[in-house]
């Protein structure tokens, strides 16, 4: 059976002329990424909504002592590219030796137009009739032999999630006649035969098109001939699917889902930190468990001994241990490399990262997110977007970096600019939210709600302004709605593990480096001069103490660390709210900053940052002068 060569795996950005022995091609959300993982053993993040794979992923499959290069192309509805992901898929088809066309067996008629376009390329090809188990459950019977005869290529029923039919699929693919080589038409995607959905455009002129009416007529004939629908009762899942996008019930479902999600994140996060079980106020039950107790019991005695050896007040003591609070180490306030530098990412932030990505994974894999996109479509249009922009926005709530990267699934440059700008300004990442809930939550629930409310209003206002000031085409929402599915706990655990390890690899070095830099700047009194220069804005306009300039600067590296640095400043509730809002909006963290330049380009990234500077000064000043006292 297939064996993965993980060393050869590397998710990559768009690049042309990548040769593959086997190329997986299909429309979004047909299970290509799951099938790729099943064939190569390489883990990819697969979700129950379109657009999970916006670039391509390559890996190797070992079968019968031979090694084959396998590439998972991004989903595309047609060989006439309509967005960046589709163009990548078309480029990959040119260099592929064999193609596996992955088709959703529950919606055969929607997928056969792409199948007909792929067949027209003349490449050796097999059709994987994926999700065959769901088709059976829905009373859909497909005559596979007759379908293969009509298409003129092998058709293999598969269930990528369980591995059913995958070995037969590999055998059929490797048995293809490689002498059947596709036509050479210059290598440009627009030179291939395709259905001209959008006939306007120079790249499609002068080349052979497949008549759209003729293609759909053939699809209809094939479906009528090979597919039989048996009587099927409406299930609870199907009833819930309809309620999720209903104008009235959809709102109630959204409120219910988001409220339950927030409660789950809070309960799991607080339990992992302190062993307490509760939603607000004191825990209902408290167990001797959590990262706080682990640091107090196992790490603090070691650090106190090291503190004695280094001597309080010495340079090395301030660097590694930090300041003693009442003669003791305070892991949130001491700010040494081995105290706060380890506790903040591992003890305070990581538990909420785990809980957030666990809940997000459930929402992804059940298929709720695309329904939320449809339900919010009208609201998002008021921001110059459509409902699908909610998916990168929700990903931004986990981490702004994948959120900005996910804007690739949007069709136009204008949409990507607006969405990336809104994410970097008004969508706090999970680590920042964890610190806001932890630090501001100690003063009550309403200051936390006020911060989220202000950021939401900022998100709406900037979106409306950008809608009227940004030029460009505003497309409608065209999205495939998958059925609700029970999440696979194995896939959920795998995805959670990948995201946690990714966070640790990225965050831990940055946090330690930030603590070192801040520590040294403090010890050499550099912050005194910076604070003096920034005093007119920080102290006069925002009403914050001059010492708050240090967290604001550290926020460029890690905003969660910066929020933690507010703790020893004894801020009032008003100052804490202003500081949290300003930090959330002020300059994206360095990782998001780099990704914005890569995704938007120099000009749009600078425009986005300029909007951010203007917005944060106005909003911080407005809160300070409108809040009495």
């Amino acid at each position: 059976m297939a064996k993965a060569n993980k060393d050869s795996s590397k998710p990559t950005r768009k690049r042309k002329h990548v040769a593959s022995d086997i190329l997986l091609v299909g429309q979004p959300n047909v299970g290509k990424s799951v099938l790729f993982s099943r064939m190569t053993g390489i883990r990819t993040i697969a979700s129950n909504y379109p657009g999970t794979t916006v670039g391509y992923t390559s890996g190797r499959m070992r079968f019968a002592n031979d090694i084959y290069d396998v590439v998972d192309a991004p989903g595309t509805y047609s060989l006439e590219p309509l967005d960046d992901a589709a163009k990548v898929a078309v480029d990959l088809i040119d260099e592929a030796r064999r193609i596996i066309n992955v088709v959703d067996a529950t919606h055969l008629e929607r997928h056969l137009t792409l199948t007909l376009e792929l067949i027209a390329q003349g490449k050796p090809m097999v059709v994987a009739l994926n999700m065959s188990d769901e088709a059976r459950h829905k009373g859909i019977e497909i005559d596979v032999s007759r379908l293969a005869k009509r298409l003129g290529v092998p058709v293999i029923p598969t269930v990528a999630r369980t591995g059913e039919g995958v070995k037969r699929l590999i055998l059929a693919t490797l048995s293809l006649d490689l002498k059947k080589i596709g036509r050479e038409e210059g290598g440009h995607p627009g030179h291939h035969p395709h259905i001209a959905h959008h006939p306007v455009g120079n790249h499609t002129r002068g080349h052979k098109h497949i008549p759209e009416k003729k293609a759909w007529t053939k699809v209809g004939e094939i479906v009528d001939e090979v597919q039989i629908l048996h009587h099927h009762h409406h299930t609870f899942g199907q009833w819930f699917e309809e309620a999720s996008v209903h104008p009235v019930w959809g709102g109630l479902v959204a409120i219910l889902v988001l409220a339950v999600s927030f409660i789950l994140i809070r309960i799991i996060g607080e339990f992992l930190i302190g062993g307490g079980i509760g939603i607000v106020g004191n825990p209902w039950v408290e167990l001797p468990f959590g990262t706080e107790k682990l640091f107090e019991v196992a790490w603090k005695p070691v650090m106190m001994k090291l503190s004695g050896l280094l001597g309080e007040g010495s340079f090395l003591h301030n660097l590694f241990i930090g300041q003693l609070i009442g003669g003791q180490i305070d892991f949130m306030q001491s700010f040494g490399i081995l105290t706060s530098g380890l506790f903040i990412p591992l003890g305070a932030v990581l538990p909420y990262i785990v809980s957030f990505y666990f809940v997000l994974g459930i929402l992804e894999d059940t298929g709720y997110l695309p329904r939320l996109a449809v339900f919010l479509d009208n609201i998002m249009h008021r921001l110059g977007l459509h409902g699908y922009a909610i998916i990168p926005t929700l990903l931004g709530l986990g981490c702004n970096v994948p959120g900005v990267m996910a804007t690739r699934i949007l069709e136009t440059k204008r949409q990507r600019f607006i969405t990336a700008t809104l994410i970097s300004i008004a969508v706090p990442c999970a680590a920042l939210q964890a610190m806001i809930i932890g630090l501001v939550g100690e003063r009550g629930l309403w200051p936390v709600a006020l911060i989220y409310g202000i950021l939401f209003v900022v998100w709406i206002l900037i979106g409306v302004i950008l809608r009227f000031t940004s030029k460009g085409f505003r497309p409608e929402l065209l999205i495939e709605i998958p059925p609700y599915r029970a999440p696979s706990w194995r896939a959920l655990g795998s995805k959670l593990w990948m995201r946690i390890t990714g966070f640790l690899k990225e965050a831990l070095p940055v946090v330690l480096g930030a603590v070192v830099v801040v520590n040294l700047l403090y010890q050499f009194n550099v912050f005194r001069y910076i604070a003096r220069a920034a005093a007119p804005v920080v102290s006069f306009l925002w009403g914050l103490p001059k010492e708050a300039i240090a967290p604001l600067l550290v926020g460029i590296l890690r905003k969660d660390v910066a929020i933690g640095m507010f703790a020893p400043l004894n801020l009032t509730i008003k100052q804490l709210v202003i500081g949290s809002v300003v930090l959330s909006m002020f300059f994206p963290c360095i990782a998001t900053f780099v990704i914005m330049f890569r995704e938007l380009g120099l000009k749009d990234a600078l425009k986005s940052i300029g909007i951010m500077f203007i917005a944060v000064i106005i909003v911080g000043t407005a809160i300070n002068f409108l809040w009495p006292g």
Side-chain angles (χ1 to χ4, degrees):
M1 190 57 195
K3 183 178 179 180
N5 183 346
K6 296 184 179 181
D7 293 339
S8 66
S9 168
K10 52 176 182 180
T12 53
R13 299 190 62 212
K14 183 177 78 172
R15 195 184 72 186
K16 293 184 178 180
H17 307 303
V18 175
S20 61
D21 294 313
I22 300 173
L23 177 68
L24 303 182
V25 186
Q27 295 187 10
N29 202 42
V30 294
K32 283 188 300 83
S33 298
V34 179
L35 182 59
F36 174 80
S37 297
R38 182 67 64 178
M39 293 173 69
T40 63
I42 294 167
R43 294 170 178 171
T44 60
I45 293 181
S47 306
N48 189 17
Y49 60 86
T52 301
T53 312
V54 290
Y56 66 82
T57 307
S58 62
R60 286 186 172 181
M61 178 188 75
R62 184 184 296 274
F63 192 84
N65 295 323
D66 291 318
I67 294 177
Y68 301 90
D69 292 318
V70 182
V71 172
D72 177 20
T76 179
Y77 292 102
S78 166
L79 294 190
E80 183 183 42
L82 300 178
D83 51 42
D84 288 344
K87 291 174 185 173
V88 175
V90 174
D91 289 336
L92 292 168
I93 290 171
D94 271 345
E95 305 298 327
R97 302 183 74 195
R98 309 172 182 85
I99 292 175
I100 294 179
N101 173 213
V102 188
V103 170
D104 181 352
T106 64
H107 298 95
L108 186 62
E109 70 282 4
R110 297 184 193 173
H111 295 259
L112 285 184
T113 52
L114 177 61
T115 303
L116 295 180
E117 287 181 309
L118 288 168
I119 291 171
Q121 310 310 308
K123 293 271 186 179
M125 190 178 98
V126 175
V127 171
L129 205 58
N130 201 29
M131 304 181 193
S132 294
D133 55 339
E134 286 190 22
R136 292 194 295 269
H137 296 159
K138 291 183 176 180
I140 301 171
E141 180 184 342
I142 298 174
D143 187 333
V144 175
S145 301
R146 186 166 292 182
L147 178 60
K149 188 175 180 181
R150 285 300 308 263
L151 295 175
V153 298
V155 177
I156 308 295
T158 59
V159 182
R161 188 167 50 84
T162 63
E164 178 184 326
V166 174
K167 187 174 182 179
R168 283 184 59 208
L169 177 68
I170 294 172
L171 285 170
T173 306
L174 298 181
S175 301
L176 291 170
D177 182 6
L178 293 183
K179 294 179 181 177
K180 190 178 180 182
I181 303 297
R183 66 190 68 186
E184 260 318 316
E185 293 186 327
H188 192 284
H191 292 194
H192 297 82
H194 61 269
I195 299 171
H197 302 286
H198 290 242
V200 178
N202 292 330
H203 66 287
T204 62
R205 291 176 181 170
H207 302 286
K208 185 178 179 182
H209 289 170
I210 301 171
E212 186 172 10
K213 185 177 179 181
K214 185 178 177 182
W216 279 109
T217 301
K218 185 172 182 179
V219 167
E221 291 173 355
I222 293 174
V223 172
D224 287 343
E225 188 176 330
V226 306
Q227 182 173 276
I228 300 173
L229 300 179
H230 298 283
H231 180 68
H232 170 66
H233 292 286
H234 227 49
T235 64
F236 173 77
Q238 289 167 331
W239 173 84
F240 194 63
E241 287 173 5
E242 294 172 3
S244 302
V245 294
H246 188 273
V248 177
W249 295 112
L252 297 176
V253 171
I255 292 171
L256 179 65
V257 169
L258 295 178
V260 171
S261 300
F262 175 80
I263 290 171
L264 273 178
I265 291 170
R266 170 80 180 174
I267 289 177
I268 297 172
E270 286 300 309
F271 178 72
L272 293 176
I273 290 175
I277 300 174
I279 300 174
V280 293
N282 294 326
W284 306 325
V285 181
E286 197 161 1
L287 302 175
F289 179 79
T291 54
E292 284 181 343
K293 288 184 173 59
L294 182 64
F295 269 82
E296 285 291 327
V297 173
W299 193 236
K300 190 172 183 178
V302 178
M303 290 298 98
M304 288 304 296
K305 287 184 179 178
L306 181 61
S307 171
L309 292 174
L310 296 176
E312 185 179 1
S314 69
F315 174 81
L316 290 179
H317 186 281
N318 289 338
L319 185 62
F320 290 107
I321 304 297
Q323 302 293 322
L324 295 182
I325 311 297
Q328 293 292 319
I329 292 172
D330 185 316
F331 284 111
M332 284 299 292
Q333 300 186 50
S334 291
F335 229 76
I337 298 173
L338 300 179
T339 53
S340 302
L342 292 179
F343 179 77
I344 290 175
L346 300 179
V349 177
L350 183 60
Y352 268 98
I353 294 291
V354 172
S355 61
F356 178 85
Y357 278 130
F358 174 72
V359 174
L360 180 64
I362 292 175
L363 293 178
E364 287 178 331
D365 290 2
T366 53
Y368 178 69
L369 291 185
R371 286 173 176 79
L372 183 63
V374 170
F375 178 73
L376 294 176
D377 191 45
N378 285 336
I379 296 174
M380 300 299 283
H381 266 80
R382 298 181 187 280
L383 310 183
L385 303 168
H386 60 49
Y388 207 22
I390 197 66
I391 289 178
T393 304
L394 287 175
L395 288 176
L397 287 170
C399 176
N400 282 185
V401 171
V404 173
M405 290 178 66
T407 59
R408 293 182 204 170
I409 65 176
L410 301 175
E411 293 92 337
T412 67
K413 188 176 179 182
R414 176 178 183 271
Q415 287 183 306
R416 291 193 286 272
F417 168 72
I418 295 176
T419 307
T421 301
L422 292 177
I423 288 173
S424 63
I425 293 176
V427 178
C429 67
L432 177 60
Q433 292 182 68
M435 292 306 297
I436 290 175
I437 293 171
L439 185 65
V440 185
E442 292 178 353
R443 309 291 183 94
L445 191 59
W446 71 266
V448 178
L450 183 59
I451 292 170
Y452 277 91
I454 292 170
L455 291 176
F456 180 71
V457 171
V458 168
W459 185 72
I460 293 286
L461 288 178
I462 295 179
V464 171
I465 292 171
L466 292 179
R467 173 195 173 192
F468 289 106
T469 55
S470 300
K471 297 178 181 177
F473 176 61
R474 282 184 288 171
E476 294 299 319
L477 176 64
L478 300 172
I479 185 173
E480 189 79 16
I481 303 295
Y484 276 127
R485 298 189 181 105
S488 161
W489 294 109
R490 182 181 175 187
L492 200 64
S494 173
K495 186 160 53 178
L496 180 62
W497 175 251
M498 289 175 64
R499 284 171 164 167
I500 290 172
T501 52
F503 166 78
L504 290 176
K505 287 176 184 175
E506 179 199 335
L508 197 57
V510 174
V511 172
L512 291 175
V515 170
V516 171
V517 170
V518 173
N519 207 306
L520 293 176
L521 291 177
Y522 260 122
Q523 293 202 52
F524 291 105
N525 292 322
V526 176
F527 268 121
R528 181 184 302 174
Y529 301 103
I530 300 176
R532 190 177 300 166
V537 174
V538 175
S539 299
F540 178 70
L541 293 182
W542 294 342
L544 298 174
K546 62 181 182 181
E547 292 81 5
I549 188 64
L552 294 177
L553 292 177
V554 171
I556 296 173
L557 297 174
R558 291 293 303 187
K559 293 189 176 185
D560 45 335
V561 178
I563 287 282
M565 292 174 66
F566 281 148
L569 300 182
N570 295 319
L571 302 179
T572 63
I573 292 179
K574 174 183 173 181
Q575 290 174 324
L576 207 49
V577 170
I578 294 174
S580 299
V581 170
V582 166
L583 247 179
S584 300
M585 298 175 60
F586 179 66
F587 212 83
C589 70
I590 192 67
T592 307
F593 183 72
V594 172
I595 293 299
M596 283 183 67
F597 271 94
R598 197 179 76 176
E599 297 297 321
L600 300 180
L602 178 63
K603 185 179 176 183
D604 279 351
L606 290 176
K607 278 170 56 181
S608 182
I609 291 168
I611 293 168
M612 178 205 65
F613 272 118
I614 295 171
V616 72
I617 290 175
I618 292 174
V619 173
T621 304
I623 301 172
N624 181 36
F625 285 98
L626 292 176
W627 188 324

